């Protein structure tokens, strides 16, 4: 019987599962769409019970497919968005909905307080990164400050991947990569929790034992087997945050690699062996021992194009065709993609979207083209910031749902001047989770190679004829943010006063 591994990823807009054989072929896949909750301006949350319910449904579907195809599930990989903060009580019940990653901007006061109390330089020395809305530590502090009753009941900390591993195996742990984003509570050089700061800012919460993403967390319990259909005793890996699992899925986690993840948000992960620090990016440990990352992310990407689609009566193929017709420069439109604040490199949760150059002659295709170019300009801003910090970027690999069509890829290559490699399988983090699980349970101790599982299929070259135009637009992009920043902040304050929630 053919050996297979099951991989499941809990994402921002959906949960995805795949069943993959030992040669990397996808036997079956399934997706469940969901929505995050935005109860107040700047808040982005999700009920952790949904994560487990969706895992159960996906696994039962995939295990049924395994029976049809006469294959056996020998390992389980887990992955999820992050860094998130899910606190649970002594019985393992969430004390409140999980607070999501950098798109949730509520903890600005805690970021300022922790930075003042600990010192910006010391935070960077220990935790690697300046505190931002991406950091987990201030979000823990926010719960303690703003919801003390919930915090008093809190005993353990989870993220989506570790929550699934816990539900499946009963093991309480967190992978190193995820832990390094619970800034400033993790020491990136010693690769362990920084106990003085943990006790100060997460008192009463048991620090999760640490594992690497590909290490086995435990095996499926009888109760989990009954719920999911996965055989009791099946090994489950610790897993990690989706962007890193996605990098694994495409072989973009070696020194010199940069992964671009085209999803609801845009994520970038540059891998090396040296710890690089810069105030405007995120320094983390890698998915594997001995690696370090400089990472960044746009707060919107696919979320922005989905928003434009919702305002239109057109489907995506129509919008893409009209954007193609609009042409480079979107007929003189320039957009700032900060429709949910912005993460790197400006670290400005109060930033807001701007569309400049509008006239009555512009149509929806121009707007859609401007949105694609806005995300590409954001990628360029991040890449230039990474390189200025010393990142040695020699190879760029594109993954995620946005790689399915050629236009967005071409726009990003044209705007950035980067050559992008696109692997055969871009289904993403769930595939990477299945690959990690396959390595953990390899019968002969020889893990599979991702180059064999998922070779490069497409190479996207930048069009040199468009370089001058996009150089000019990039300068205007930077100027537009600087020139509109104060107005955007004033509008953000008005939105808070009026109780509105930005898209």
């Amino acid at each position: 019987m053919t050996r297979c591994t099951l991989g499941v990823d809990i994402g921002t807009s959906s949960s995805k599962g795949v069943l993959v054989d030992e040669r990397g072929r996808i036997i079956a896949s399934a997706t469940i769409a969901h929505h995050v909750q935005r109860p107040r301006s700047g808040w982005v949350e999700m009920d952790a019970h949904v994560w487990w319910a969706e895992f159960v449904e996906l696994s039962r579907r995939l295990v049924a497919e395994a029976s049809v195809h006469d294959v056996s599930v020998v390992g389980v990989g887990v992955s999820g968005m992050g860094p998130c903060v899910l606190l649970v009580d002594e019985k393992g019940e969430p004390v409140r909905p999980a607070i999501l990653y950098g798109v949730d901007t509520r903890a600005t006061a805690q970021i300022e307080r922790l930075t003042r109390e600990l010192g910006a330089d010391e935070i960077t020395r220990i935790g690697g990164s300046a505190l931002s809305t991406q950091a987990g530590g201030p979000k823990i502090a926010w719960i303690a400050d703003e919801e003390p009753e919930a915090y008093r009941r809190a005993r353990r900390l989870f993220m989506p991947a570790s929550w699934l591993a816990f539900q499946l195996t009963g093991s309480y742990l967190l992978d190193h990569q995820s832990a390094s984003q619970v800034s400033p509570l993790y020491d990136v050089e010693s690769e362990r929790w920084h106990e003085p700061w943990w006790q100060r800012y997460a008192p009463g919460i048991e620090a999760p034992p640490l594992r690497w993403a590909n290490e086995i967390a435990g095996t499926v319990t009888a109760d989990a087997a009954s719920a999911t259909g996965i055989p009791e005793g099946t090994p489950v890996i610790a897993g990690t945050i989706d962007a890193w699992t996605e990098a694994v899925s495409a072989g973009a986690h070696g020194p010199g690699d940069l992964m671009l993840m085209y999803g609801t948000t845009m994520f970038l992960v540059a891998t090396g062996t040296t710890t690089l620090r810069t105030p405007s990016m995120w320094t983390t440990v890698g998915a594997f021992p001995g690696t370090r990352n400089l990472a960044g992310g746009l707060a919107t990407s696919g979320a922005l194009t989905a928003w434009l689609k919702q305002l239109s009566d057109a489907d995506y193929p129509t919008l893409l065709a009209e954007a193609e017709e609009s042409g480079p420069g979107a007929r003189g439109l320039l957009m700032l993609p900060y429709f949910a604040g912005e993460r790197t490199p400006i670290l400005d949760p109060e930033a807001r979207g701007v569309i400049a150059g509008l006239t009555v002659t512009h149509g929806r295709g121009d707007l859609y083209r401007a949105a694609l170019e806005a995300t590409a300009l954001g990628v360029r801003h991040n890449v230039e910031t990474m390189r200025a910090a010393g990142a040695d970027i020699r190879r760029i690999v594109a993954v995620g749902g946005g790689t399915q069509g050629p236009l967005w890829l071409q726009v990003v290559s044209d705007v950035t001047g980067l050559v992008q490699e696109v692997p055969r399988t871009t289904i993403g983090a769930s595939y990477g989770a299945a690959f990690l699980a396959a390595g953990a349970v390899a019968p002969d101790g020889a893990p599979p190679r991702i180059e064999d599982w998922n070779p490069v299929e497409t190479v996207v070259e930048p069009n040199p004829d468009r370089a001058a135009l996009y150089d000019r637009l990039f300068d205007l992009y930077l100027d537009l943010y600087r020139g509109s920043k104060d107005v955007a902040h004033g509008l953000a304050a008005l939105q808070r006063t009026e109780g509105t929630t930005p898209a």
Side-chain angles (χ1 to χ4, degrees), residues 268 270 276-282 294-296 344-347 377-391 393 474 478:
L268 307 89
L276 300 176
R277 293 173 170 85
T278 179
S280 54
M281 305 300 291
W282 306 317
L294 200 59
T344 61
I346 65 172
L347 301 179
L377 291 160
V379 170
R380 177 169 173 170
H381 199 184
N382 275 273
V383 169
E384 292 195 359
T385 304
M386 286 177 166
R387 283 182 163 152
I393 298 173
F474 184 63
L478 300 178

Side-chain angles (χ1 to χ4, degrees), residues 16-285:
K16 301 174 184 177
V18 290
L19 187 66
V20 186
D21 73 12
E22 53 199 341
R23 296 174 60 187
R25 295 177 301 185
I26 297 174
I27 303 299
S29 63
T31 301
I32 301 173
H34 58 230
H35 297 284
V36 298
Q37 286 74 53
R38 300 176 185 268
R40 293 179 57 182
S41 178
W43 292 26
V44 189
E45 304 180 342
M46 197 166 180
D47 181 354
H49 292 105
V50 174
W51 301 343
W52 176 239
E54 291 184 350
F55 180 91
V56 168
E57 182 175 345
L58 290 169
S59 63
R60 296 197 74 86
R61 289 190 205 174
L62 295 170
V63 169
E65 289 289 331
S67 298
V68 170
H69 290 88
D70 195 29
V71 299
S72 61
V73 177
V74 299
V76 179
V78 290
S79 170
M81 56 186 164
C84 301
V85 170
L86 171 66
L87 300 183
V88 308
D89 64 19
E90 60 186 8
K91 295 180 180 179
E93 280 295 310
V95 301
R96 69 170 326 281
I99 300 176
L100 300 196
Y101 51 98
V103 294
D104 185 293
T105 60
R106 75 184 70 192
T108 52
Q110 286 72 28
I111 291 169
E112 293 172 0
R113 175 166 64 85
L114 268 64
T115 301
R116 183 173 63 253
E117 291 173 354
L118 300 176
D121 291 343
E122 189 69 357
I123 287 172
T124 302
R125 186 182 72 82
I126 298 293
S129 304
L131 295 185
S132 69
T133 62
Q134 187 79 353
K139 294 178 182 183
I140 297 172
W142 183 93
I143 299 173
D145 291 345
E146 302 296 330
E147 298 179 354
E149 179 54 37
Y151 188 85
R152 275 193 291 271
R153 293 186 285 117
R155 295 294 180 270
R156 286 179 166 180
L157 167 69
F158 289 95
M159 294 191 193
S162 64
W163 178 247
L164 296 182
F166 175 69
Q167 296 295 323
L168 287 165
T169 70
S171 298
Y172 176 50
L173 50 82
L174 191 65
D175 70 282
H176 282 274
Q177 205 297 309
S178 299
S180 70
Q181 298 203 51
V182 189
S183 306
L185 308 185
Y186 179 93
D187 187 326
V188 294
E189 294 296 354
S190 64
E191 297 179 344
R192 65 187 180 208
W193 296 115
H194 187 61
E195 284 295 328
W197 291 356
W198 183 279
Q199 295 303 324
R200 183 171 180 177
Y201 294 109
I205 298 174
E206 177 188 354
L210 296 169
R211 298 288 186 273
W212 293 99
N214 59 347
E215 290 186 303
I216 293 175
T219 59
V220 174
T221 65
D223 286 346
S226 176
T228 65
I230 301 168
E232 182 180 355
T234 303
V236 180
I237 61 164
T240 188
I241 290 173
D242 54 6
W244 278 260
T245 319
E246 194 127 21
V248 168
S249 79
H253 56 84
D257 289 345
L258 172 70
M259 182 210 65
L260 296 183
M261 186 177 78
Y262 292 71
T264 304
T265 66
M266 180 77 77
F267 212 87
L268 307 89
V269 180
T271 300
T273 57
T274 303
T275 304
L276 300 176
R277 293 173 170 85
T278 179
S280 54
M281 305 300 291
W282 306 317
T283 299
T284 73
V285 301

Side-chain angles (χ1 to χ4, degrees), residues 322-341:
E322 292 178 357
E324 181 86 59
E325 184 178 351
S326 174
R331 297 200 310 123
L333 290 188
L334 180 61
M335 183 183 295
L336 296 182
Y338 310 149
F339 284 59

Side-chain angles (χ1 to χ4, degrees), residues 277-359:
R277 293 173 170 85
T278 179
S280 54
M281 305 300 291
W282 306 317
T283 299
T284 73
V285 301
F288 307 116
T291 57
R292 294 290 183 271
N293 297 125
L294 200 59
L298 279 62
T300 63
S301 181
L304 180 53
T305 56
W307 172 74
L308 284 168
K309 180 180 179 294
Q310 289 174 359
L311 299 181
S312 168
D313 58 358
D315 57 17
Y316 282 120
T318 299
L319 290 168
L320 286 166
E322 292 178 357
E324 181 86 59
E325 184 178 351
S326 174
R331 297 200 310 123
L333 290 188
L334 180 61
M335 183 183 295
L336 296 182
Y338 310 149
F339 284 59
E342 187 53 295
R343 297 191 286 173
T344 61
I346 65 172
L347 301 179
D348 185 358
E350 304 289 275
R352 291 295 180 263
V354 175
I355 304 172
L358 275 171
T359 72

